[in-house]
Amino acid sequence: MAQYILKRFLSMLVTLWLIVTVTFFLMHSIPGSPFDRDGKEASAAVVQNMMSFYHLDKPLGVQYLLYLKSLLTFDLGPSISHYPTSVNTMIDRGFPVSFQLGAAAILLAIAAGTALGTVAALKQNGIIDYIAMVLAVIGIAVPSFVIAPLLIKYVAVKWGLLPVASWGTWKHVVLPAFALSVGPIATIARLTRANLIEVLTQDYMETARSKGLSPARMIVKHALRNAVLPVVTLLGALLANVLTGSFVIEKIFAIPGMGKYFVDGINNRDYAVIMGTTVFYSALLIFMMFIVDIVYGFIDPRIKLHRKGA
């Protein structure tokens, strides 16, 4: 297991380096200047001083090496559009908010998606099954940035049930978390339903029935444990979808998370913010996928045995 973890750690570093490299050179290939504001660039002397301060007057290869050197000390550099605030400070301020929103959305997606998929599988080809799958298709087809304004218009403004924007209490989490979780709920529901239907037809389930186990115990202890394995595998991708999707949702709901800094950084061509947020989220997602892989081994003992014998 130690050898496996070491290999996965090294592959994580290589993957992160590739992401940093590709993002760095793609970002610098975008036309325009980070010192251009509303179509008006500052004077030549000011621009030259700023270029020198941010090392943008150096060859691109030198800039790249300097950035890699700063990453080794976990220094993401100062923001261009929010100077003297550093990107590290922005992450310290914004990430806890984004994490709360993302965690709420993922937990809601897992709970609701698994429950919906389980009910649909147990009521296969019934009215509940058809309703659940129609809702799942709608959830997959309609993006979160379409659902969010509808929630604001009806739930927040028209009915006045929940606050429309900002952040502070659990009430502020409900609408954006639901908007973020609709797609993952639908995906998990469909996957859980399909796998649970297959598991219920396996021989060991027939054996469990013959032993007189209650339906609830059969489902919870035997069927769901095997049915959720593909869902666990998908959690890494779903987490990426939720975290990146939260940028737009945070902007819509005026949430002071990482989305605000990332969107503003793109609009202002703030190289430090774009690179910093990309590197930070890439490292987080790669690490979470590694954790999911480890958890997968605990859920399915066959995987653990295979790794020990490898």
Side-chain angles (χ1 to χ4, degrees):
M1 181 60 75
Q3 184 179 6
Y4 168 76
I5 292 176
L6 178 60
K7 288 181 179 180
R8 288 288 284 113
F9 179 74
L10 293 176
S11 68
M12 287 165 53
L13 293 180
V14 172
T15 303
L16 185 60
W17 170 73
L18 289 174
I19 292 173
V20 170
T21 302
V22 172
T23 305
F24 182 88
F25 288 102
L26 283 178
M27 180 187 63
H28 281 273
S29 67
I30 299 174
S33 168
F35 310 111
D36 186 358
R37 294 292 180 270
D38 299 324
K40 297 180 180 179
E41 195 173 70
S43 65
V46 172
V47 170
Q48 183 59 39
N49 289 333
M50 296 294 288
M51 294 278 286
S52 177
F53 179 79
Y54 289 103
H55 307 297
L56 297 177
D57 58 338
K58 292 180 170 54
L60 193 58
V62 175
Q63 295 181 46
Y64 172 68
L65 293 177
L66 288 173
Y67 190 77
L68 290 181
K69 181 180 178 181
S70 68
L71 282 183
L72 293 177
T73 60
F74 302 100
D75 179 13
L76 299 176
S79 168
I80 296 176
S81 57
H82 294 84
Y83 184 82
T85 305
S86 68
V87 179
N88 294 66
T89 301
M90 290 181 172
I91 292 175
D92 289 340
R93 293 173 181 172
F95 179 67
V97 176
S98 296
F99 178 79
Q100 292 175 38
L101 176 59
I106 283 292
L107 291 176
L108 177 60
I110 294 173
T114 303
L116 189 62
T118 301
V119 172
L122 296 178
K123 303 294 183 180
Q124 185 182 4
N125 298 326
I127 184 65
I128 296 178
D129 183 21
Y130 292 136
I131 293 175
M133 289 304 98
V134 167
L135 292 176
V137 170
I138 294 174
I140 294 174
V142 181
S144 59
F145 59 80
V146 173
I147 295 174
L150 294 176
L151 293 175
I152 292 174
K153 179 180 179 179
Y154 291 101
V155 179
V157 177
K158 189 173 182 178
W159 300 332
L161 299 177
L162 292 167
V164 66
S166 191
W167 196 257
T169 66
W170 66 268
K171 293 182 178 180
H172 294 94
V173 183
V174 176
L175 290 185
F178 181 75
L180 265 179
S181 65
V182 168
I185 286 174
T187 302
I188 291 175
R190 289 174 62 86
L191 198 57
T192 301
R193 175 188 178 274
N195 286 284
L196 190 55
I197 289 175
E198 181 181 354
V199 168
L200 290 173
T201 62
Q202 299 297 316
D203 293 337
Y204 64 86
M205 292 302 297
E206 295 296 334
T207 303
R209 288 191 188 95
S210 65
K211 290 182 177 180
L213 293 180
S214 64
R217 187 176 181 183
M218 285 172 51
I219 295 299
V220 175
K221 187 176 181 180
H222 297 283
L224 269 181
R225 181 171 182 177
N226 292 296
V228 298
L229 285 175
V231 176
V232 173
T233 306
L234 193 64
L235 280 181
L238 287 179
L239 180 64
N241 181 50
V242 167
L243 289 178
T244 53
S246 69
F247 291 164
V248 178
I249 295 299
E250 288 175 14
K251 196 71 175 177
I252 293 175
F253 284 93
I255 297 173
M258 288 297 298
K260 174 181 181 298
Y261 296 121
F262 185 74
V263 174
D264 289 345
I266 292 176
N267 292 333
N268 296 322
R269 296 184 182 88
D270 193 330
Y271 295 155
V273 171
I274 296 172
M275 284 298 302
T277 52
T278 301
V279 170
F280 177 77
Y281 271 102
S282 297
L284 177 64
L285 293 173
I286 291 171
F287 177 73
M288 290 304 299
M289 292 178 72
F290 171 71
I291 296 298
V292 166
D293 197 28
I294 298 298
V295 171
Y296 196 96
F298 282 105
I299 294 177
D300 190 345
R302 294 171 299 178
I303 297 175
K304 192 189 313 181
L305 290 174
H306 174 71
R307 284 174 182 164
K308 285 182 178 180

